[in-house]
Structure formats: structure tokens, C-alpha cells
């Protein structure tokens, strides 16, 4: 009985996620789900991305945290629409939370929506929310062994970003080993080494995003 109930919950979430994506498709909006562990650099990357794109792309952000609006406050300074979701303890957001946020956004005036998921390497990968693309960040200080420990996060992502590349000289992070393991899990994933602090790799990231935008439009 417990398994049946869980299945029913997941089916309901997946159905609502499909409805969210249909809504986004009708407005020709690309939605990107950004996932990582806490502190991997999601918010910093988002801010630098927004600064490079907002002159030509209309952007909004759905910001998710267990508590507080610290990251949403930072992003709102870029003068774009931001909706805060506080999960109250949940380690992920679900399709219903995203639907509520979408209802509060001016969809007719947007081209791109980033969803910054709760910092966690397990739960967010399990829940569809209606976005078109999953992007996963792994920071250099976390180590190159994480694909072994959290494979689902890597197999469900269309792009895997190695963030905080400016820390590479201070670490034993092995990029070649990391790329080989990720390729074994998900050969189609784009692997992008980036430092939002120095700007390394940001042009490649922006170019990749623009290619995804063209697909939706």
C-alpha cells in the first residue's frame, strides 16, 4: 500500500510538470532547472549569466530555499522578476510549487526562466517540475568523485558545469577522470568548466544557453 501511495504522488507530480511545460511552450519560454549541492555557486553563476544576457533576453528567476530570501534579494538587484519559494524543510521543489510561481510571473514578457533548486545532490533529481533542461553544478572543492556517489543527478542533466575553476590549482580535482565518469553515465551531457569569479568559460556557457533558446523559439 505504501508503494502505491508513493507512485500516485509521483504520477500526480509528473502530470502537473507536463502541464507546466505546456504552459511554457505556449509562451515560447525556455525553463532551466539549476541544481547542485549548497555552496556550489548557483546564485553567482546566475547573476553573471543574467548580466550577460538581459540586454537581449527577457529573464526571470524562481529561487528556492528551505528558508530565507537571501539569494532572491541578490538576484532582484539585477532588475528582473524574481519569485521566492521557501520549502519549509523540504530538500527539493515540486511541480505544484513551480506552478504557483509561474502564475505570478508575467509570462507574456519573458523568454527565459531559471529555477534555482534547493541545494541538494539527491532529491531535486527525482522530481520533475516542468523545465526543459536540467543543469547541474559541481564545484571543484567538492571533488571529482561525486558522480560515483550521486549518479542520478548527472544522468538527468543536459549540462554539467564544473564551477569554481579558479580553485583548481589548490585542489586535486582530476578533470579528465571526472569527464570520463560523467560521459559513462550520460554521454550527451555538455561538460562546461566555469569560473564565475574570473569569467572563465562563461562565453561557452552563454553560447550553449542561446542554442537551447533557439530550440524553444
Amino acid at each position: 500500500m505504501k508503494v502505491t501511495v508513493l507512485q500516485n504522488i509521483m504520477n500526480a507530480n509528473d502530470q502537473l510538470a507536463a502541464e507546466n511545460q505546456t504552459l511554457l511552450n505556449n509562451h515560447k519560454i525556455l525553463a532551466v532547472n539549476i541544481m547542485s549541492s549548497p555552496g556550489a555557486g548557483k546564485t553567482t553563476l546566475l547573476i553573471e549569466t543574467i548580466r550577460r544576457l538581459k540586454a537581449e533576453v527577457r529573464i526571470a528567476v524562481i529561487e528556492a530555499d528551505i528558508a530565507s530570501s537571501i539569494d532572491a534579494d541578490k538576484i532582484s538587484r539585477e532588475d528582473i522578476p524574481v519569485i521566492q519559494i521557501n520549502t519549509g524543510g523540504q530538500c527539493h521543489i515540486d511541480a505544484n510549487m513551480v506552478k504557483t510561481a509561474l502564475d505570478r510571473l508575467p509570462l507574456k514578457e519573458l523568454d527565459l526562466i531559471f529555477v534555482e533548486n534547493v541545494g541538494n545532490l539527491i532529491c531535486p533529481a527525482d522530481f520533475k517540475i516542468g523545465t526543459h533542461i536540467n543543469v547541474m553544478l559541481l564545484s571543484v572543492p567538492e571533488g571529482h568523485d561525486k558522480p560515483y556517489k550521486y549518479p542520478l543527478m548527472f544522468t538527468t542533466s543536459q549540462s554539467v558545469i564544473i564551477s569554481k575553476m579558479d580553485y583548481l590549482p589548490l585542489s586535486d580535482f582530476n578533470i579528465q577522470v571526472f569527464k570520463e565518469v560523467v560521459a559513462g553515465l550520460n554521454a550527451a551531457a555538455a561538460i562546461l568548466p566555469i569560473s564565475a569569479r574570473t569569467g572563465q568559460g562563461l562565453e561557452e556557457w552563454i553560447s550553449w544557453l542561446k542554442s537551447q533558446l533557439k530550440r524553444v523559439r
Side-chain angles (χ1 to χ4, degrees):
M1 181 61 70
K2 290 182 181 179
V3 173
T4 302
V5 171
L6 178 59
Q7 188 64 50
N8 288 343
I9 291 172
M10 296 302 288
N11 286 343
N13 181 78
D14 290 354
Q15 177 60 42
L16 191 51
E19 293 173 9
N20 287 345
Q21 190 166 113
T22 296
L23 176 64
L24 293 162
N25 289 341
N26 289 342
H27 286 86
K28 297 183 178 179
I29 296 172
L30 174 68
V32 181
N33 182 19
I34 308 287
M35 304 180 291
S36 79
S37 62
K42 296 189 298 298
T43 305
T44 302
L45 177 63
L46 274 178
I47 290 171
E48 293 302 323
T49 302
I50 291 163
R51 288 174 178 171
R52 286 163 171 76
L53 277 177
K54 66 180 180 180
E56 54 185 305
V57 178
R58 300 171 298 176
I59 305 171
V61 172
I62 298 172
E63 179 66 42
D65 283 297
I66 290 175
S68 88
S69 62
I70 293 172
D71 292 337
D73 292 340
K74 291 178 183 177
I75 293 170
S76 67
R77 295 179 195 137
E78 300 303 318
D79 197 28
I80 64 166
V82 182
I83 302 296
Q84 176 71 54
I85 297 175
N86 287 135
T87 67
Q90 291 190 55
C91 59
H92 65 277
I93 52 175
D94 59 31
N96 187 55
M97 294 176 187
V98 172
K99 179 183 183 304
T100 300
L102 291 175
D103 289 342
R104 296 175 57 191
L105 285 171
L107 299 182
K108 293 181 180 180
E109 303 170 13
L110 297 175
D111 304 305
L112 174 61
I113 297 175
F114 290 109
V115 180
E116 183 175 351
N117 218 311
V118 178
N120 189 287
L121 283 179
I122 301 173
C123 306
D126 282 321
F127 283 80
K128 296 178 181 179
I129 56 176
T131 49
H132 301 92
I133 294 169
N134 288 334
V135 174
M136 189 265 170
L137 274 72
L138 180 82
S139 66
V140 166
E142 293 174 81
H144 59 261
D145 60 347
K146 293 303 178 289
Y148 293 107
K149 299 179 179 181
Y150 308 98
L152 184 61
M153 183 68 77
F154 293 88
T155 57
T156 58
S157 295
Q158 284 70 48
S159 178
V160 175
I161 291 176
I162 308 173
S163 64
K164 302 188 180 182
M165 281 293 293
D166 46 305
Y167 282 88
L168 192 62
L170 306 175
S171 78
D172 59 358
F173 191 99
N174 190 315
I175 291 181
Q176 187 57 39
V177 169
F178 178 79
K179 287 182 175 180
E180 290 173 359
V181 177
V182 173
L185 293 170
N186 183 357
I191 302 176
L192 303 172
I194 286 175
S195 169
R197 177 180 294 178
T198 67
Q200 176 187 348
L202 285 178
E203 291 307 314
E204 289 81 2
W205 159 243
I206 296 296
S207 177
W208 185 84
L209 269 179
K210 287 181 176 178
S211 71
Q212 304 306 309
L213 271 167
K214 288 180 180 178
R215 291 175 53 244
V216 172
R217 290 173 174 172

